Amino acid sequence: MGAAGSKLEKALGDQFPEGERYFGLENFGNTCYCNSVLQISSQKKKTGVIAPKRFVQRLKKQNELFRSYMHQDAHEFLNFLLNELVDILEKEAQTAAKTDPETPPPSEKIANGFKNGHGHANGPQKEPLITWGILTNETRCLQCETVTARDETFFDLSLDIEQNSSITSCLKNFSSTETLNAEDKFFCDKCCSLQEAQKRMKIKKPPHILVIHLKRFKYMEQLGRYKKLSYRVVFPLELKLSNTVEDADIEYSLFAVVVHVGSGPNHGHYVSLVKSHNHWLFFDDENVEMIDESAVQTFFGSPQEYSTNTDHGYILFYESLGSNNN
């Protein structure tokens, strides 16, 4: 990225943030899924190209899923990376606990964005090594009105999407009430039998960093394969999270987007957009360039099913504007 780096430095000029680093990452055949996630991080120099060869080698050694040259999923990589980080922190915490009894308990591992079993029965809970958000799964028996609540900690929210919708509407659908009846009846402990019930999911503790995964790859029964949904889903620069237990609006600001480029789930490319010091940067493997904030909306998706635009927002990263979630 020598020329591209120089171009970026010239574009920013005196506005180049002190101490900030903007690097492209070399692609080793099919590692854009990895680069697009890693580029939401910091480097040591101002601009240039880094070849994360050892990282990719370790990744392939740790997980056979990423060993082939087939198109990989950036969301799967993100969850794998986070699980590995939790494992490392867990081992470090266990080692430290042998010498320091005051060390906080290790974090639990997540799977597919969620992990269960939050909370400790005895004594106050210490701050975990990695802070997740907390979801409350509420089920209300329609016979005795008893409400059963179960907490789940999460890193990201995977949302079903619809054509010409918005993140706000997707979040409302995520927290909408579902009726359990017929073969899906709920076993009520108080009634000691299967009963019709209503279930809903609400956010009990909003995370400081809210990651939203748009479910753009859907299995189509009639096709017998996965299909990419190019739906236009508007994601705002400023997001108000209203589906919380306390019914209090939590404000978030968009700071990064992983974009899937391509018409199908088994081929394509990943790039990322990152906001840094009020500047939006476009990362495409080795190439990094500055873009206007207005360009972010070009990645909402396509208003029609068949479109020449195949660049669609896939993973969204929001940061809380409040200080109480830090």
Side-chain angles (χ1 to χ4, degrees):
M1 194 192 93
S6 300
K7 185 178 179 181
L8 178 62
E9 289 187 69
K10 289 178 181 178
L12 288 170
D14 295 337
Q15 298 182 52
F16 204 111
E18 184 178 354
E20 196 57 86
R21 312 292 180 246
Y22 302 135
F23 265 63
L25 296 176
E26 188 176 336
N27 190 318
F28 297 102
N30 72 325
T31 57
C32 58
Y33 68 92
C34 172
N35 290 349
S36 62
V37 172
L38 294 180
Q39 278 157 337
I40 307 172
S41 61
S42 60
Q43 319 296 341
K44 294 183 179 180
K45 298 179 181 179
K46 277 192 173 183
T47 59
V49 177
I50 289 179
K53 192 171 183 178
R54 291 180 62 187
F55 179 89
V56 173
Q57 288 175 341
R58 179 69 180 270
L59 172 66
K60 292 181 177 181
K61 181 179 180 181
Q62 293 288 104
N63 192 326
E64 63 180 13
L65 176 68
F66 302 109
R67 290 176 193 169
S68 73
Y69 283 93
M70 294 177 62
H71 185 65
Q72 304 293 346
D73 189 303
H75 181 244
E76 289 183 0
F77 166 69
L78 175 62
N79 274 311
F80 171 75
L81 180 63
L82 289 170
N83 279 326
E84 286 298 302
L85 289 174
V86 169
D87 280 346
I88 292 171
L89 292 173
E90 199 173 60
K91 291 175 183 177
E92 290 181 351
Q94 290 171 351
T95 301
K98 294 178 182 178
T99 56
D100 183 5
E102 297 299 317
T103 301
S107 299
E108 297 176 36
K109 188 174 182 179
I110 63 169
N112 300 322
F114 294 88
K115 65 185 183 70
N116 299 324
H118 172 81
H120 296 268
N122 301 318
Q125 189 175 339
K126 295 183 180 181
E127 190 67 22
L129 294 170
I130 294 181
T131 303
W132 316 98
I134 301 175
L135 286 171
T136 294
N137 191 340
E138 295 180 347
T139 306
R140 181 170 64 90
C141 174
L142 296 181
Q143 177 65 30
C144 67
E145 299 293 324
T146 298
V147 176
T148 303
R150 179 170 56 90
D151 288 351
E152 300 176 351
T153 55
F154 72 97
F155 169 73
D156 65 351
L157 298 178
S158 289
L159 304 182
D160 290 312
I161 61 175
E162 296 177 349
Q163 178 60 286
N164 293 316
S165 59
S166 67
I167 290 299
T168 302
S169 63
C170 292
L171 285 167
K172 285 182 179 178
N173 290 337
F174 179 80
S175 295
S176 62
T177 300
E178 176 187 359
T179 299
L180 305 177
N181 52 26
E183 296 179 354
D184 296 324
K185 283 185 178 180
F186 170 74
F187 185 86
C188 176
D189 290 334
K190 187 172 182 179
C191 298
C192 294
S193 61
L194 292 172
Q195 298 289 344
E196 290 189 352
Q198 288 184 332
K199 164 174 101 163
R200 68 174 180 175
M201 193 86 77
K202 297 195 80 173
I203 297 174
K204 182 175 182 179
K205 179 186 175 185
H208 178 59
I209 301 296
L210 174 66
V211 180
I212 295 177
H213 163 233
L214 302 181
K215 295 165 75 171
R216 288 200 176 274
F217 304 119
K218 182 178 182 180
Y219 186 78
M220 311 298 286
E221 291 286 351
Q222 61 271 34
L223 299 177
R225 59 179 173 83
Y226 280 90
K227 176 185 177 181
K228 181 182 178 181
L229 304 179
S230 60
Y231 298 161
R232 186 175 188 271
V233 182
V234 175
F235 46 90
L237 298 176
E238 305 295 330
L239 173 69
K240 283 189 177 181
L241 192 66
S242 57
N243 54 334
T244 60
V245 170
E246 293 81 10
D247 290 324
D249 288 349
I250 309 297
E251 294 188 353
Y252 284 87
S253 178
L254 183 72
F255 73 90
V257 182
V258 171
V259 175
H260 180 267
V261 182
S263 58
N266 299 318
H267 55 85
H269 184 54
Y270 286 103
V271 298
S272 56
L273 317 175
V274 180
K275 185 178 182 180
S276 176
H277 300 271
N278 295 318
H279 296 293
W280 277 95
L281 300 168
F282 178 80
F283 290 84
D284 182 359
D285 289 332
E286 298 94 336
N287 300 308
V288 184
E289 59 185 70
M290 191 166 61
I291 60 172
D292 291 333
E293 185 174 80
S294 60
V296 175
Q297 64 185 327
T298 63
F299 300 97
F300 288 167
S302 309
Q304 293 88 26
E305 183 174 357
Y306 299 103
S307 172
T308 55
N309 177 22
T310 62
D311 304 3
H312 310 128
Y314 183 48
I315 311 174
L316 314 175
F317 295 79
Y318 283 92
E319 183 175 17
S320 171
L321 295 177
S323 57
N324 56 348
N325 284 331
N326 290 332

